[in-house]
Amino acid sequence: MLSYLTHRKIFIFFLVILSVGLTMGKLLMSISMIGLSANWLIEGGFKEKWRKNIDLNYTPIILSGIFFLEIVWLIFAKDIGLGLGSIRIKLPLLVLPIVLGTSEKLNNKEIKTLITTFLLGVLLSTVVAHLVDMGFVNKKTITKSSRDISIFMSHIRYSIILSFSIFLIVHLLINKKVKMLFGIILILWILNLIYKMSSLTAFIALFAGSTVFLLHSAIYSKNKTRIVLSGIFFSILFFMIFSITTIINDHYTPKENIYFNQLEEFTAKGEKYVHLNRNELENGFYIWKNIAEKELGSYWTKRSEIKFEGRDKKNQNIKNTIYRYLTSKGLKKDSLGLSKLSDEEIIEIENGETTAIKYNLISKRVRELLFEIENFKKTQNPNNHSLTQRITYWKIGFEIFKQASVFGHGSGNHKYAYRNYYSNNDTILDKENQRNAHNQFLTYLINFGFVGFFIWILLITIPSIRIIAMKTPFYISCILLFYIAFLSDDMLERQAGVTIFATIFYLIIFINNDKNIKRLFFLEKYSK
């Protein structure tokens, strides 16, 4: 038998592996989960661990109920394989509350070790991401977007952990645990990567977290650090609001006055122009005016090997990409307009660039979203547009939920339910765009029905409310981060997502004093 001290060192070692793995991918995450579980079992002392569980008002067991829901709801699953797969993915929701909750509390030195190794992992992963961006490291996915630089996990989940790291660094700065210059440089380095990935989820989460820190600093400021950080965050928030407002105003402001009776009727080659009654703009010019499709298509085949009715390298209809690109330069959609483009601009169109204007990444992302919304209002076609596709997935998801609203479709069977829906119903979504909910709340509604969802939401929100009640801006920002992530992504259906959530959520809970843990589920009156 190994000594307690040896088991403790092994416990911390695998937590260190986990802290690095949060940014470096699934392999390290899996190794840490296996190591923590094996060490906990081999260590033994189960009577003492059960006593610890009782002393904490059964909080570790209650928290692991999120995992046991998956096992119970397996009885409703039509596809058992999907259910078992979901249980395997959700294992961190069992391992971490039990292991952390029944082990001796982490001391300050151990917490410092985990924070240090986590930040080193963040630094290493961001360096790799920048190397990918510069072409020194191969990309794992090729979507012709800056999101390809995240090679260890989905760009959404990676942006979530990067956002968390910023909140952590700010928390350390406020408490003078790191030097101001180093902390600010690291924050700017991470922000630059988030900016490159243009993750809307991260932008919203950072905005929400910044607001929390700002308000807390304004209310409780007692030292110069808080006042300085408050000023920095206020400046950032003001700049963001001003910038986005400017972008929106520019997007909707026409640079030309259009009157149908004054529009040209024929091209120089004699084809009749098409002028559609649609008002979408690209760089202030009307997209759906001055279209001569036949001669444009004929001339396009002379400039590109991609067919006019084909798709660009972002899987968009290249015809529409051509229309938007020409419009952005104020050119008509005819052979004369196309002849004014350089070979480099033709390549940009082939790569899926819809504008010749070199907007910054935030401006580009905001304009993409505005265009998606406008296009969807006119055509009801969400294909290849991330926001409107999500809205479509949610609408379909609610229809699926209503098919089994009480107990749901069973653990992990949202995939089966969506697949079945697409097979048996007409949908405007192209085959490659027929995906799942992209919303964790909706996914649990589909899997568990109202009954299971109600239990799950209690197990998530009650601890969240008690954590928020501690009035620590770092904790509040982390909770907001996860709820925002749950709205835009079904992150608990992927190993990286569930491990990120479980690690941060349960560490926040179990590094607190026992009194706070006992009160987590409003059971303090049963405390000894």
Side-chain angles (χ1 to χ4, degrees):
M1 293 290 291
L2 299 175
S3 66
Y4 165 78
L5 184 59
T6 301
H7 279 291
R8 186 66 179 181
K9 288 180 179 179
I10 294 172
F11 170 68
I12 297 301
F13 171 76
F14 283 111
L15 282 180
V16 165
I17 296 295
L18 177 59
S19 67
V20 176
L22 291 180
T23 57
M24 298 298 291
K26 295 186 288 187
L27 178 60
L28 294 180
M29 292 178 183
S30 298
I31 291 171
S32 64
M33 287 298 120
I34 294 169
L36 287 169
S37 303
N39 182 65
W40 186 86
L41 290 169
I42 295 170
E43 182 183 30
F46 298 113
K47 287 185 178 180
E48 179 63 22
K49 289 172 179 175
W50 182 250
R51 186 194 61 77
K52 178 73 172 174
N53 178 63
I54 294 173
D55 287 347
L56 294 178
N57 288 331
Y58 301 96
T59 298
I61 294 293
I62 294 172
L63 289 171
S64 65
I66 300 173
F67 174 80
F68 289 112
L69 274 174
E70 296 283 340
I71 295 178
V72 173
W73 253 257
L74 195 62
I75 62 177
F76 301 106
K78 292 182 179 179
D79 189 321
I80 298 297
L82 288 174
L84 292 173
S86 181
I87 289 172
R88 177 185 58 80
I89 290 169
K90 301 295 198 310
L91 277 171
L93 298 173
L94 171 66
V95 172
L96 288 173
I98 297 297
V99 172
L100 292 173
T102 60
S103 299
E104 287 300 315
K105 189 181 297 298
L106 294 167
N107 59 43
N108 290 336
K109 183 179 179 181
E110 292 166 340
I111 293 172
K112 183 179 179 180
T113 298
L114 295 183
I115 291 174
T116 302
T117 53
F118 169 74
L119 291 178
L120 286 173
V122 169
L123 187 58
L124 179 58
S125 73
T126 54
V127 168
V128 172
H130 281 289
L131 290 174
V132 173
D133 187 44
M134 291 186 290
F136 293 110
V137 176
N138 291 333
K139 299 176 180 179
K140 291 182 69 174
T141 57
I142 307 296
T143 64
K144 292 294 181 180
S145 73
S146 56
R147 300 169 186 181
D148 294 339
I149 64 179
S150 176
I151 64 172
F152 298 114
M153 63 190 74
S154 155
H155 77 280
I156 294 178
R157 281 151 224 140
Y158 188 49
S159 67
I160 288 168
I161 199 66
L162 291 182
S163 301
F164 165 77
S165 68
I166 289 176
F167 297 151
L168 176 60
I169 296 166
V170 172
H171 175 71
L172 296 173
L173 284 171
I174 289 174
N175 290 280
K176 298 183 178 180
K177 301 296 184 181
V178 297
K179 292 185 178 180
M180 179 69 75
L181 180 61
F182 173 76
I184 291 176
I185 291 173
L186 191 53
I187 287 173
L188 293 175
W189 171 262
I190 297 168
L191 279 174
N192 179 55
L193 192 58
I194 293 174
Y195 169 77
K196 284 189 174 184
M197 290 192 295
S198 301
S199 169
L200 184 62
T201 301
F203 291 155
I204 295 172
L206 287 171
F207 182 87
S210 300
T211 302
V212 169
F213 277 101
L214 170 64
L215 292 176
H216 191 273
S217 297
I219 295 170
Y220 299 104
S221 291
K222 290 183 180 179
N223 58 56
K224 291 182 180 179
T225 303
R226 288 183 184 273
I227 295 172
V228 169
L229 288 171
S230 176
I232 292 172
F233 279 122
F234 181 79
S235 300
I236 293 172
L237 291 176
F238 177 80
F239 176 75
M240 288 175 62
I241 293 169
F242 175 78
S243 297
I244 291 173
T245 302
T246 301
I247 292 167
I248 293 172
N249 287 336
D250 181 67
H251 180 80
Y252 286 111
T253 302
K255 294 181 180 178
E256 58 181 347
N257 294 318
I258 292 291
Y259 301 98
F260 270 94
N261 60 353
Q262 296 178 7
L263 289 171
E264 293 184 35
E265 189 173 358
F266 295 96
T267 70
K269 292 186 176 181
E271 182 178 345
K272 188 173 183 178
Y273 280 119
V274 173
H275 307 292
L276 300 181
N277 187 26
R278 292 173 59 177
N279 296 320
E280 291 100 315
L281 298 170
E282 190 71 55
N283 189 33
F285 299 103
Y286 290 95
I287 298 171
W288 305 107
K289 308 293 189 289
N290 301 308
I291 299 172
E293 185 173 301
K294 289 183 179 179
E295 70 173 62
L296 180 63
S298 178
Y299 191 68
W300 172 258
T301 58
K302 299 176 182 178
R303 304 280 318 260
S304 173
E305 293 182 0
I306 299 178
K307 294 181 179 179
F308 187 66
E309 299 296 335
R311 292 181 178 273
D312 60 37
K313 293 180 181 178
K314 288 185 180 178
N315 201 36
Q316 305 164 135
N317 290 326
I318 199 165
K319 176 168 63 176
N320 293 338
T321 306
I322 298 167
Y323 289 168
R324 292 180 63 185
Y325 196 96
L326 287 169
T327 302
S328 73
K329 293 176 71 71
L331 299 172
K332 293 182 173 64
K333 277 69 72 176
D334 56 17
S335 59
L336 180 61
L338 191 61
S339 69
K340 294 181 180 180
L341 299 186
S342 66
D343 291 339
E344 289 75 17
E345 289 174 316
I346 294 296
I347 292 172
E348 286 188 352
I349 293 174
E350 292 174 337
N351 287 334
E353 295 298 325
T354 57
T355 177
I357 310 302
K358 305 304 179 186
Y359 298 116
N360 64 57
L361 292 174
I362 292 177
S363 178
K364 187 175 181 180
R365 184 68 180 130
V366 171
R367 292 172 191 274
E368 284 175 355
L369 293 174
L370 294 174
F371 183 83
E372 283 185 32
I373 294 168
E374 293 166 20
N375 183 71
F376 186 71
K377 286 179 180 178
K378 293 288 185 180
T379 67
Q380 296 299 302
N381 186 351
N383 282 294
N384 302 312
H385 294 146
S386 59
L387 176 62
T388 50
Q389 277 185 180
R390 272 181 168 79
I391 294 171
T392 306
Y393 300 149
W394 298 345
K395 288 179 179 179
I396 293 172
F398 278 111
E399 292 299 317
I400 293 171
F401 161 68
K402 288 188 288 186
Q403 295 171 5
S405 59
V406 179
F407 293 107
H409 294 264
S411 300
N413 270 235
H414 63 285
K415 296 178 183 178
Y416 173 88
Y418 266 95
R419 193 163 60 229
N420 190 55
Y421 181 93
Y422 291 133
S423 296
N424 297 316
N425 295 273
D426 292 330
T427 175
I428 197 171
L429 291 168
D430 295 336
K431 187 71 175 177
E432 62 270 20
N433 294 327
Q434 294 177 5
R435 300 170 187 164
N436 302 325
H438 282 69
N439 182 301
Q440 193 60 63
F441 299 109
L442 182 54
T443 296
Y444 268 105
L445 269 175
I446 293 169
N447 285 343
F448 290 172
F450 179 78
V451 173
F453 177 80
F454 181 73
I455 298 171
W456 175 77
I457 205 71
L458 286 178
L459 292 172
I460 292 291
T461 56
I462 291 176
S464 299
I465 291 169
R466 297 309 292 256
I467 290 170
I468 290 172
M470 296 177 192
K471 297 180 181 179
T472 302
F474 171 58
Y475 292 168
I476 298 170
S477 297
C478 291
I479 296 301
L480 287 175
L481 171 65
F482 285 125
Y483 278 76
I484 291 167
F486 285 173
L487 285 170
S488 64
D489 182 52
D490 44 3
M491 67 177 291
L492 299 187
E493 308 308 313
R494 297 290 186 275
Q495 182 183 351
V498 74
T499 306
I500 289 168
F501 167 77
T503 303
I504 296 171
F505 191 65
Y506 295 134
L507 275 175
I508 287 175
I509 290 171
F510 289 114
I511 63 173
N512 272 281
N513 61 55
D514 286 356
K515 186 177 180 181
N516 282 337
I517 299 172
K518 289 177 182 180
R519 292 176 173 177
L520 204 62
F521 287 95
F522 302 93
L523 296 171
E524 59 265 37
K525 66 180 180 180
Y526 298 111
S527 301
K528 295 183 180 180

